[in-house]
Amino acid sequence: TRAQALEDGQLVDVTECAREVGIKHPVAVTARVWGEWIVPPERMKAHGQSERGRGHDVVWLLRCAMGKAAAGAPDVRFAVLFQNRAGRGYTIGRFWATCGPGDNMEPVITVMCTDED
């Protein structure tokens, strides 16, 4: 179940951050998205990078992609530019998100790396 995946750490709940940018449904990211993209490299924390800020970037660009998607489309693809080195050290994270039924058939959104399913 989704609840079990959240409890086990396979998914990380980012619903609060998603609501701040106007996404109404619960949102979770995979452990891989969280660990490889949202958690900043230790060296970048001194340069202002944080989980909250990077998580906000992910859900904001998810919201933008949702706004551009065809009406009723359950999946969207989007990219986020992350600073991983001081100066001009940027990396592009490519993601996809799907909206499907949660444990109680409510709409929920899951964000994954493009090669995850």
Side-chain angles (χ1 to χ4, degrees), residues 3-115:
Q4 189 65 47
L6 288 162
E7 187 176 317
D8 292 345
Q10 295 172 5
L11 294 176
V12 179
D13 190 347
V14 294
T15 300
E16 181 181 327
C17 193
R19 287 214 168 107
E20 291 173 6
V21 301
I23 298 174
K24 297 177 184 176
H25 302 309
V27 179
V29 300
T30 63
R32 182 169 166 210
V33 171
W34 182 262
E36 291 182 15
W37 294 100
I38 294 178
V39 175
E42 196 62 38
R43 66 187 175 278
M44 292 309 300
K45 291 180 181 178
H47 295 279
Q49 296 288 305
S50 68
E51 291 169 9
R52 179 147 178 79
R54 290 164 74 110
H56 180 274
D57 292 347
V58 169
V59 296
W60 171 251
L61 289 165
L62 166 62
R63 181 177 180 265
C64 292
M66 290 166 57
K68 292 178 182 179
D75 301 339
V76 296
R77 294 188 177 271
F78 63 103
V80 181
L81 191 63
F82 292 93
Q83 186 176 14
N84 286 325
R85 292 188 319 265
R88 296 184 179 184
Y90 293 94
T91 305
I92 298 172
R94 299 188 189 283
F95 308 100
W96 75 287
T98 188
C99 184
D103 295 343
N104 298 308
M105 300 308 291
E106 76 282 17
V108 296
I109 298 169
T110 305
V111 177
M112 296 161 270
C113 293
T114 55
D115 61 349

